[in-house]
Amino acid sequence: AKAMEVLRGAAPGGNRYAWRELLSLMEQIAEKEGLGTDHLIMGPGSSDLLEKTAMVLFQHGGNIVSADPSYMSMIQVAQACGAQWKPIPLKPDWSHDLDAMEAAVDSDTKLVYICNPNNPTGTLTDVNTLLDFCSRVSENVPVFVDEAYLDFLEPDAQQSMVSLIREGKNVIVARTFSKIHGLAGLRVGYALGLPGTLEALQAITRAGMGNNRNI
């Protein structure tokens, strides 16, 4: 009820861009994640940021490595830009086959995409194994970890890959308010990464432009 009251009160300001509100939210998220705001970009949900990452990285081709099945938004946009998709079947327990994914990376690989917990299977890949994989592979190619469903896990299992960004690894982590927070219609999401990586995305896409003032 309190949120609805705030939304109704914000409606008259809908003729204005959300830059002030966006900066305030970014500062709060950055503090929560233990990073500076230069490690953060905002978007209207996380899918938008996945797709914009694909448009920027694959505008000159290359290939993307991911599990199969997985969330297809980034993969479909990458293919539309001319990328080759290298799908790696999930293991019998429906977790990511990280060994096979690492073996699939070659000189044309522009990005490795991991959705954990995975969509559509709802399954989780071991966090410690994933941390080791992302740390190692990101030395050669960016690793994008989609954590849209992380908040549905029990608190002890909510171990993000954001710690690797704090270590200077070329990892991108996406989150959204659409799922556990129930704000799908308000379209709020964000991605965390190294400043240089995010600057390359922002130079073309202006990620935060799509956020509305009700954030």
Side-chain angles (χ1 to χ4, degrees):
K2 291 181 179 179
M4 292 301 298
E5 183 179 349
V6 171
L7 285 171
R8 283 192 290 268
N15 63 316
R16 298 184 179 275
Y17 288 115
W19 298 124
R20 182 190 304 174
E21 292 78 9
L22 194 67
L23 179 59
S24 175
L25 180 59
M26 289 177 66
E27 290 173 344
Q28 294 177 64
I29 292 172
E31 181 179 0
K32 173 183 179 293
E33 300 291 358
L35 292 164
T37 54
D38 58 340
H39 288 75
L40 170 68
I41 58 173
M42 302 297 300
S46 58
S47 292
D48 178 79
L49 297 171
L50 269 66
E51 293 164 3
K52 285 175 176 173
T53 299
M55 285 188 284
V56 172
L57 293 186
F58 296 102
Q59 57 185 315
H60 303 299
N63 68 62
I64 180 170
V65 176
S66 84
D68 183 22
S70 189
Y71 186 58
M72 292 298 293
S73 182
M74 173 183 281
I75 296 163
Q76 289 172 340
V77 172
Q79 288 179 304
C81 291
Q84 175 193 1
W85 178 33
K86 301 181 80 171
I88 307 300
L90 295 170
K91 296 166 70 174
D93 65 355
W94 300 101
S95 64
H96 285 71
D97 190 340
L98 296 177
D99 290 338
M101 292 180 70
E102 185 170 5
V105 174
D106 60 27
S107 59
D108 290 326
T109 302
K110 298 287 185 68
L111 189 72
V112 174
Y113 172 64
I114 292 173
C115 186
N116 196 51
N118 195 24
N119 177 4
T121 62
T123 48
L124 187 67
T125 298
D126 178 74
V127 170
N128 291 325
T129 305
L130 184 56
L131 277 167
D132 180 66
F133 170 87
C134 291
S135 177
R136 188 174 58 256
V137 173
S138 65
E139 293 294 325
N140 299 310
V141 61
V143 180
F144 194 116
V145 185
D146 183 351
E147 295 181 348
Y149 295 89
L150 188 74
D151 294 311
F152 285 100
L153 300 175
E154 295 297 328
D156 290 345
Q158 292 181 22
Q159 299 185 47
S160 171
M161 297 297 111
V162 171
S163 61
L164 296 175
I165 301 172
R166 300 190 197 105
E167 296 174 13
K169 302 291 184 178
N170 195 10
V171 173
I172 305 169
V173 173
R175 302 266 185 75
T176 181
F177 287 78
S178 298
K179 310 303 181 186
I180 193 71
H181 302 291
L183 300 176
L186 293 179
R187 308 310 300 144
V188 187
Y190 63 93
L192 300 151
L194 298 181
T197 301
L198 301 186
E199 286 170 7
L201 302 181
Q202 293 272 50
I204 297 177
T205 64
R206 285 192 80 191
M209 192 70 181
N211 287 105
N212 67 62
R213 198 165 182 268
N214 290 331
I215 61 176

